[in-house]
Each structure stands twice: as structure tokens, then as C-alpha cells.
Amino acid sequence: MKKQIREKLALGILLLLGLTACGGEEGSNGAIVNPPVTGPVPEMSIDACFTMITSLGEVGLGIDSRHTPQSAANFIGYVDDGFYDGTLIHRVIHNFIIQGGGFTSGMVPKPGKAPIKNEASVGFSNLRGTLAMARARQSDSATSQFFINTLDNPQLDYSASSEGYAVFGRVLSGMEVVDQIGIVATTRVGDYSDVPLEEIVIERIAPSECPMLEE
């Protein structure tokens, strides 16, 4: 059990391209000191919905344009451009996350647009089934890549010592597909680890009608 906890904490330190959070002000001991989230954490608002069609099935996604406007507009822009069509779910870490939106077949990087501001300080938690922006070490470095949490990962949240990873939506349907992807065999391809042994293709992400959600 202790080994599993240590492994999960270690994974939380390197989510995407070397996902070690940085930024904020440094305290006297060199640690990051971020301002606390002021006021209560808002309830996620599902303002726009999408269907992510993968080679293993469909996943319904809902995003929050009200509280995470930059992350939402960024994602919608990539969808409208057809950017995600033919990209891969290129990273799968069992009992942690699945990640996609930045590579095409053969693990060829697909350059994205300018990076956006990290909106993790809104306070949404990286709970199972939430959709979040992947980024590099710098806080405001997210471009096209996103991930879905397959377990609760509060170690990825904004805090006094971490800039966190911005949650901007959640899975509305097809979590069983996410779970199926989350247990596939992985390998190393060049410099990239945790790559699915058999390519999982995002065939398309398309706008869809939002379901009636319970209040």
C-alpha cells in the first residue's frame, strides 16, 4: 500500500512533458508559495459538449467556458480547426491518466498554437473523469494536449506549493472507454514512455448536444 502511494505521488510530479509545476513566488526555504484560492470553489458549469471518437470507442466530453474561459476557448479552437483528427492517445499511465492531442501516427509531434494561461487556480480538482490541460514545467505552457484523470489525482491540483493542472471539463459518457484505454499495454518509443503498444487514434472530436444534466 505504501509503495502504491509513493508511486502515485511520483507520477503526480511528471504528468506531461516533464510536468513539474513551477512558478509562483518563492518562500524563504525556496518552496513555491502561491496565493490561496479565494472564496468557495465554483461548481463546474457544462457550457459546451463534444464527442471524442477514438479507435476504441466514443467518449462524451463537457467543458466549462464560464470558469475556465481560456482553456475552453483553446480546446474549442483546436476542435474547430480539426486539429485533433488523426492524433493519438499517446500516453497511458495505469491508475493515473490517459493523455492525447499532440502526436500523430508513429509518435510524430504535431505543433500547436501559442500556449495559454494556466487556470488551475479556479480550484477544480483533478478527480476521476475530469478533463485537464497537460503542460510542460512552466505554468503557462499548455497548448493542444489534454488528459483525462482515471483516478482521483488531487496531487495535480493548484496549491500553495504547486501551480497545478487546469481542469476545464469532465467526461459525460463513455468512461468505460476511458477505463479500457487506461489498461492497455504500453512501451517506450524513442524518448517517450508510457506509449500504447498499439496506437489508439482520436479519429475526430466533434461538437455535440449537451445532455440534460441534473442540477
Side-chain angles (χ1 to χ4, degrees):
M1 186 62 168
K2 289 183 179 179
K3 181 180 178 182
Q4 290 177 336
I5 293 172
R6 288 196 300 270
E7 288 175 347
K8 191 169 182 180
L9 288 173
L11 287 172
I13 298 174
L14 36 90
L15 177 50
L16 165 61
L17 308 167
L19 294 142
T20 303
C22 65
E25 299 180 1
E26 289 191 0
S28 58
N29 62 354
I32 296 168
V33 180
N34 289 322
V37 176
T38 56
V41 175
E43 185 173 347
M44 185 178 290
S45 172
I46 300 302
D47 313 302
C49 297
F50 301 86
T51 300
M52 180 172 70
I53 304 168
T54 79
S55 52
L56 290 183
E58 298 185 2
V59 180
L61 302 173
I63 64 173
D64 186 333
S65 302
R66 183 181 308 174
H67 301 108
T68 51
Q70 292 194 40
S71 302
N74 180 71
F75 183 80
I76 292 170
Y78 280 112
V79 170
D80 289 345
D81 291 344
F83 179 92
Y84 293 123
D85 300 359
T87 58
L88 303 176
I89 299 294
H90 65 270
R91 192 174 190 196
V92 170
I93 303 180
H94 301 169
N95 294 322
F96 189 41
I97 57 99
I98 69 170
Q99 183 175 322
F103 292 81
T104 56
S105 182
M107 288 298 290
V108 176
K110 186 171 185 177
K113 304 174 187 177
I116 62 171
K117 180 177 175 57
N118 183 353
E119 295 178 307
S121 61
V122 168
F124 293 148
S125 184
N126 283 269
L127 301 177
R128 169 174 161 80
T130 52
L131 175 68
M133 293 303 304
R135 62 173 176 82
R137 289 178 180 269
Q138 296 75 25
S139 178
D140 301 332
S141 59
T143 57
S144 65
Q145 294 189 41
F146 57 86
F147 63 93
I148 297 173
N149 289 286
T150 56
L151 288 183
D152 290 351
N153 292 311
Q155 71 275 22
L156 301 181
D157 294 351
Y158 175 91
S159 69
S161 59
S162 172
E163 295 291 344
Y165 299 87
V167 169
F168 67 103
R170 61 184 175 88
V171 173
L172 300 177
S173 63
M175 194 63 196
E176 69 279 3
V177 175
V178 174
D179 287 337
Q180 182 183 1
I181 294 171
I183 60 173
V184 299
T186 60
T187 187
R188 187 172 187 87
V189 177
D191 293 332
Y192 305 109
S193 58
D194 307 303
V195 179
L197 198 57
E198 295 186 13
E199 289 189 345
I200 302 169
V201 181
I202 299 174
E203 297 171 358
R204 188 162 59 100
I205 299 181
S208 63
E209 290 285 330
C210 286
M212 294 295 292
L213 302 174
E214 293 183 3
E215 295 294 333

